[in-house]
Amino acid sequence: MVKVVAKTGNEAMAEAMRQINPDVVAAYPITPATEIVMIFAKYVADGLVDTEFVAVESEHSAMSACVGASAAGGRVMTGTSSQGLVYMYEILPIASSLRLPIVMCDVNRAISGPINIHCDHSDTMAAQDFGWIQMFSENSQEAYDGLIQAIRIAEDPRLRLPTMVTTDGFIISHCMDKIELLDDADVKNFIGAERKAADSLLNLDKPVTIGLIDLQDYYFEHRCQVADAMKNAKQVILEVADEFAKKFGRKYGLIDGYLLDDAEYVVVALGSTCGTAKVVVDEMRAKGVKAGLLKIRVFRPFPAEEIAAALSKAKAVAILDRSDTWSAQGGHVFTEVRSGMFDLKARPKMINYIYGLGGREINLEHLRQVFGDLQNVDKQPLVQYLGVRE
Amino acid sequence: MANLKELSKRQEPLTGGHRLCPGCGASIVVRQVLLASKDPVVVVSATGCLEVSTTIFPYAAWKVPFLHNAFENAAATMSGVEAYYQFLKRKGKTSQHINFVAFGGDGGTYDIGLQSLSGAMERGHDFTYVCYNNQAYMNTGIQRSSATPKGANTTTEPAGKVKQGKTMSRKDLTEIMVAHDLPYVAQATVGNWADLTRKAEKAFSIRGPKFMNVLQPCRLGWAYKPEDTAAIGRIAAETCFWPLYEVENGIYKITKPREKKPVAEFLKTQERFRHLFKPGNEKIIEDIQADVDRRWQALLAKEEMTAKAAK
Amino acid sequence: MKQEKPGWKNLPLGDVVQAGTAESFETGDWRSERPTWHPDRCIQCLQCWIYCPDSSIIVKDSKMTGIDYKHCKGCGICAKECPVKPEKAITMGPEGK
């Protein structure tokens, strides 16, 4: 039976965590993700979950404890944001290298400095190189569904990769939205009663050493294994999404198009901005402009082939980045999309907008401007900063 | 307490074939601590000499389950391991008792890992943290740490023409851990196996967080002949440079030397203090002696005071 | 015997090995000094065993039975800690003679 409720993004993620009922959660407070673990801690206090909750003294220790619990064989989750995620960076590639399927609720927030508590994607984008699967959410529903799927994806024996599911700070994390919840039993059946770990530190009958030092003769091979798993990840993510769609009706891809098939002018975006973009796409269509949206849901692994295929017929494409690489060559998404399009015989013109840093509003007018620019793309610079005072 | 014959019947925790220096004290600490457990053990280690030398892929010297994560987070990592074990126990999925032991050098414990250690101890996880304390960053080439004693020559605070090695005194981490109000804190050295294994046994018999600070002579960084490792550890205790004591539920118990020897007896065994014996540096040795005496008197007073409080 | 090292496809996933594989790595060739055990003098106190950093004192049924020269690095702690007097039950001499 479908249960429709109103929940903020944080509440939706906490609800998914309750239904997932992980063995161990280790987390530390940080705005705007704190609420997820606060709500979850209350579930623990009320006996609604079986989880061992470790209220650590830092995010570094949160991720360290997650590595310990996951290496011991547990189903393990955490949640963080911004500086907290940055503080975890050292341990994130250790988690992927040890093939530990830790699942993280990551609320996108600007990184210092200056200190800022509002949404952009710079925290998550800077974590793109650590061997974690990264999924973005347009709204609370996607965050909820994505988190449940993430357990299956991360624990898939072909992958065994840690996975982060992100929402946009405040915009999703703190805004009430209508979402459809699954039954507890359905979630349990979908993810499986427990993780089946290949090796466990607590297996006394088959003692193992985990986390050895690799010298020149093995490090490359171990990193290659992660690269190979990432190659397989697209297939696994789609399989899990298909099964989810068959059982619960909501369908997800690596990318999702909105009026994309015949679109000439396309905006590429991630997260909550996609909702705003859809409104403007409709406006443009009403005016006879063939506008469309390409939403990237999975950023790691990067669905380059799928994006190239989807954009191959477009005339002009604006790639929206809520973070900067500081390369003076545009943002993270732009760099990846442009590289992915390189081998197309005929490429659309591609331009980049860096927008929304530190929670700066992106509104309908901004997106109207972007679609206007696209119709006049030859006069546009490669990279523009959208919505900033000069 | 188990005698050597009994200990020798237990599972050997570490194989030969690791790459620690000849005469290394770190593996002596590991063997003596882990042999003291009559139950299975699970080990986490911080990055450092011990970890690097015992786990060069694909050669693992650990015969017991072992996990390495990073440098500063052995205690936090163990928090997660222990939390999952508590989950399994609470859910009735295991009833096997396990002694969890985390090892870290002084760099990974006193300095970069102090927050992680403090957090894990405060949260009350049931494990024993053992600092194999060789008083400098030996793995990276003998750099000073906050455990390095005054006057010692290290590569980041070397003895030179105008400076005579480390100017500051070492941090007293054992007392910092006592201040965490743990059920058990102990200080021990390589060279007193009966004392060390007894303390490890004691730690394993207590539930909750335990901390052991074990002085580990390092033949490379302290610069002495490899066969002297155990003997130098004993002199450290005999001079009260490194007093042997334990604190159980706040009550101090000191293992006092028969005769407290001058600290110079300890200093002169190692090259790292050699410059202190040059003419003109007498005052530094006097200061070190005064430091040792002051700390020793304070320790004796704590023993007396807490014994009274216990009554 | 030189064995080909496995490629990434044949390595177990995730930087893990079975316990105790270092047993097959021989550090005995590091030795410049060689310990010799004299069973006739040995009092079986096991001090050498408890202080050996390389787990190279072979003990069977609580009795010292010899030295594992495949792994012993010749540090000499066993000889130094041997309490037997006047002549120790383990003595050190140059390697290779």
Side-chain angles (χ1 to χ4, degrees):
Chain A
M1 198 184 76
V2 177
K3 193 172 155 196
V4 180
V5 295
K7 287 210 181 288
T8 65
N10 282 347
E11 289 167 354
M13 280 186 145
E15 178 66 7
M17 282 178 75
R18 183 190 65 74
Q19 294 180 309
I20 291 163
N21 194 10
D23 304 339
V24 175
V25 167
Y28 186 77
I30 185 163
T31 305
T34 313
E35 223 179 6
I36 301 170
V37 280
M38 275 166 58
I39 298 167
F40 190 78
K42 189 71 167 65
Y43 292 155
V44 174
D46 290 337
L48 298 179
V49 287
D50 301 312
T51 310
E52 196 72 25
F53 181 72
V54 190
V56 283
E57 83 299 333
S58 72
E59 290 88 354
H60 195 282
S61 287
M63 188 43 61
S64 301
C66 285
V67 165
S70 191
R75 181 174 274 168
V76 181
M77 296 183 78
T78 187
T80 195
S81 179
S82 182
Q83 302 306 107
L85 183 63
V86 173
Y87 199 22
M88 289 180 178
Y89 282 175
E90 189 203 11
I91 311 304
L92 297 181
I94 297 173
S96 58
S97 151
L98 296 181
R99 310 304 290 273
L100 303 176
I102 299 160
V103 172
M104 182 199 295
C105 309
D106 168 27
V107 181
N108 300 309
R109 170 188 144 183
I111 54 176
S112 303
I115 183 169
N116 172 290
I117 59 166
H118 292 284
C119 175
D120 70 32
H121 295 167
S122 40
D123 51 352
T124 304
M125 284 301 169
Q128 66 179 324
D129 296 338
F130 298 143
W132 281 61
I133 291 171
Q134 294 182 312
M135 290 160 53
F136 283 74
S137 318
E138 183 184 328
N139 50 40
S140 296
Q141 184 76 62
E142 284 194 19
Y144 171 84
D145 292 347
L147 209 52
I148 290 163
Q149 293 176 44
I151 299 289
R152 281 279 304 276
I153 295 164
E155 292 180 6
D156 190 288
R158 290 166 287 178
L159 304 190
R160 293 165 55 188
L161 286 176
T163 300
M164 57 179 83
V165 177
T166 81
T167 63
D168 283 352
F170 290 105
I171 301 166
I172 299 176
S173 70
H174 284 64
C175 283
M176 200 62 84
D177 205 355
K178 194 179 74 175
I179 75 165
E180 290 183 12
L181 296 182
L182 306 178
D183 287 343
D184 289 2
D186 285 342
V187 173
K188 194 173 179 181
N189 286 336
F190 186 77
I191 63 172
E194 60 186 21
R195 177 183 157 210
K196 292 178 176 63
D199 303 294
S200 160
L201 191 65
L202 297 187
N203 185 348
L204 302 171
D205 300 325
K206 187 194 149 196
V208 286
T209 289
I210 304 174
L212 300 88
I213 179 173
D214 278 1
L215 301 177
Q216 299 94 322
D217 55 350
Y218 282 100
Y219 181 86
F220 203 173
E221 280 70 23
H222 279 132
R223 297 311 292 188
C224 248
Q225 289 184 335
V226 176
D228 183 59
M230 270 296 175
K231 273 188 203 159
N232 297 331
K234 288 205 292 194
Q235 180 61 31
V236 173
I237 293 167
L238 288 173
E239 283 174 20
V240 172
D242 283 350
E243 192 183 322
F244 190 89
K246 278 190 194 114
K247 286 195 167 131
F248 309 121
R250 288 184 293 279
K251 193 157 173 51
Y252 294 99
L254 304 168
I255 57 172
D256 289 315
Y258 183 71
L259 301 180
L260 192 59
D261 290 348
D262 64 339
E264 293 174 348
Y265 303 106
V266 179
V267 160
V268 176
L270 287 67
S272 58
T273 303
C274 295
T276 318
K278 282 174 188 170
V279 175
V280 179
V281 167
D282 287 342
E283 274 183 26
M284 293 289 148
R285 287 278 173 171
K287 288 183 193 164
V289 178
K290 287 189 172 175
L293 167 74
L294 188 150
K295 174 171 85 179
I296 299 177
R297 175 171 168 260
V298 176
F299 188 74
R300 282 288 179 273
F302 189 71
E305 290 156 3
E306 291 77 4
I307 291 170
L311 295 179
S312 62
K313 288 178 211 144
K315 280 185 184 164
V317 178
I319 292 125
L320 270 51
D321 266 295
R322 205 162 193 153
S323 60
D324 199 346
T325 57
W326 318 109
S327 66
Q329 287 293 316
H332 300 88
V333 186
F334 181 57
T335 311
E336 300 268 346
V337 170
R338 226 169 156 228
S339 168
M341 301 283 283
F342 185 79
D343 290 324
L344 284 181
K345 281 190 185 118
R347 286 188 294 271
K349 176 88 178 177
M350 285 169 276
I351 54 173
N352 185 212
Y353 292 85
I354 291 177
Y355 75 99
L357 300 191
R360 178 63 52 88
E361 188 189 22
I362 174 136
N363 56 31
L364 299 176
E365 197 47 53
H366 291 123
L367 283 150
R368 286 180 195 124
Q369 182 197 324
V370 170
F371 277 109
D373 289 351
L374 281 178
Q375 294 168 67
N376 208 356
V377 72
D378 289 337
K379 300 221 169 83
Q380 302 306 320
L382 189 70
V383 182
Q384 300 183 52
Y385 289 80
L386 184 66
V388 72
R389 293 184 303 278
E390 291 194 3
Chain B
M1 185 201 136
N3 61 32
L4 285 178
K5 291 221 182 316
E6 286 157 350
L7 293 181
S8 73
K9 288 175 186 153
R10 292 187 181 160
Q11 188 202 11
E12 175 62 55
L14 213 56
T15 69
H18 58 69
R19 318 309 163 84
L20 289 160
C21 299
C24 179
S27 48
I28 301 176
V29 175
V30 169
R31 291 187 63 234
Q32 294 184 0
V33 167
L34 297 185
L35 281 165
S37 175
K38 55 182 178 14
D39 297 303
V41 296
V42 167
V43 172
V44 168
S45 173
T47 309
C49 285
L50 175 67
E51 166 269 328
V52 167
S53 304
T54 55
T55 68
I56 300 178
F57 194 94
Y59 300 104
W62 299 85
K63 295 186 93 160
V64 297
F66 174 94
L67 171 66
H68 162 250
N69 186 355
F71 191 9
E72 69 281 58
N73 63 357
T77 304
M78 186 57 102
S79 301
V81 175
E82 191 263 359
Y84 181 59
Y85 169 73
Q86 295 300 345
F87 166 85
L88 292 177
K89 254 176 65 172
R90 184 159 45 78
K91 297 294 289 176
K93 292 179 183 183
T94 185
S95 56
Q96 171 69 58
H97 178 69
I98 296 174
N99 286 320
F100 293 94
V101 185
F103 289 103
D106 52 293
T109 308
Y110 278 65
D111 287 355
I112 197 167
L114 183 60
Q115 172 189 308
S116 163
L117 172 65
S118 176
M121 294 284 116
E122 182 273 333
R123 290 190 299 273
H125 296 283
D126 182 14
F127 75 97
T128 303
Y129 191 104
V130 179
C131 176
Y132 65 101
N133 178 1
N134 47 43
Q135 303 194 317
Y137 291 85
M138 300 314 183
N139 191 40
T140 43
I142 321 166
Q143 291 82 28
R144 63 94 87 187
S145 76
S146 62
T148 304
K150 182 186 250 179
N153 180 46
T154 59
T155 54
T156 47
E157 209 173 346
K161 283 176 184 158
V162 298
K163 286 193 142 192
Q164 302 302 326
K166 194 178 177 208
T167 48
M168 304 307 295
S169 288
R170 60 207 146 111
K171 186 196 277 181
D172 195 340
L173 183 62
T174 308
E175 290 300 301
I176 293 172
M177 297 323 293
V178 171
H180 281 65
D181 206 14
L182 306 181
Y184 189 69
V185 176
Q187 210 169 259
T189 68
V190 172
N192 295 276
W193 74 265
D195 180 74
L196 177 55
T197 54
R198 181 186 64 77
K199 284 171 176 165
E201 271 184 10
K202 181 89 197 172
F204 296 146
S205 73
I206 295 168
R207 303 281 59 82
K210 287 85 59 177
F211 178 79
M212 295 177 67
N213 198 346
V214 186
L215 186 75
Q216 178 244 303
C218 167
R219 44 102 34 191
L220 179 80
W222 296 15
Y224 59 81
K225 291 201 296 281
E227 68 264 31
D228 291 338
T229 297
I232 289 176
R234 285 190 290 271
I235 305 172
E238 286 160 6
T239 56
C240 298
F241 172 87
W242 194 260
L244 305 180
Y245 73 102
E246 60 202 313
V247 185
E248 190 178 349
N249 294 317
I251 315 293
Y252 282 68
K253 199 173 139 199
I254 309 170
T255 307
K256 300 176 189 78
R258 279 197 199 111
E259 174 206 0
K260 181 167 167 286
K261 294 178 176 168
V263 74
E265 297 292 306
F266 171 72
L267 303 178
K268 72 182 183 192
T269 59
Q270 305 147 56
E271 288 284 307
R272 65 173 172 158
F273 296 119
R274 191 170 63 164
H275 56 284
L276 300 182
F277 292 92
K278 285 181 191 161
N281 284 343
E282 296 82 359
K283 176 73 170 54
I284 301 173
I285 295 184
E286 283 169 24
D287 287 351
I288 294 170
Q289 183 67 62
D291 210 29
V292 165
D293 293 346
R294 179 179 53 78
R295 290 187 188 206
W296 176 242
Q297 288 306 320
L299 195 60
L300 292 172
K302 281 176 193 165
E303 184 182 46
E304 199 181 343
M305 186 182 72
T306 56
K308 270 185 199 159
K311 283 174 193 166
Chain C
M1 187 175 72
K2 198 172 164 67
Q3 278 187 320
E4 197 69 26
K5 286 174 180 165
W8 61 264
K9 290 178 183 171
N10 294 319
L11 278 173
L13 295 185
D15 192 17
V16 59
V17 298
Q18 299 306 305
T21 49
E23 192 90 60
S24 65
F25 191 89
E26 297 184 7
T27 46
D29 58 0
W30 293 19
R31 231 173 16 246
S32 60
E33 301 261 317
R34 184 182 179 87
T36 303
W37 177 49
H38 308 282
D40 51 317
R41 298 178 207 151
C42 181
I43 59 168
Q44 292 296 342
C45 68
L46 300 181
Q47 294 287 322
C48 54
W49 169 77
I50 196 69
Y51 282 115
C52 177
D54 291 292
S55 314
S56 294
I57 301 295
I58 303 165
V59 172
K60 279 181 192 140
D61 300 326
S62 300
K63 290 238 181 327
M64 152 63 155
T65 59
I67 293 162
D68 169 10
Y69 290 108
K70 281 185 180 167
H71 298 110
C72 166
K73 296 167 187 158
C75 69
I77 291 178
C78 52
K80 173 108 182 186
E81 296 300 312
C82 177
V84 180
K85 286 174 184 170
E87 286 183 291
K88 288 178 181 271
I90 298 177
T91 52
M92 299 301 288
E95 180 66 33
K97 282 189 184 171

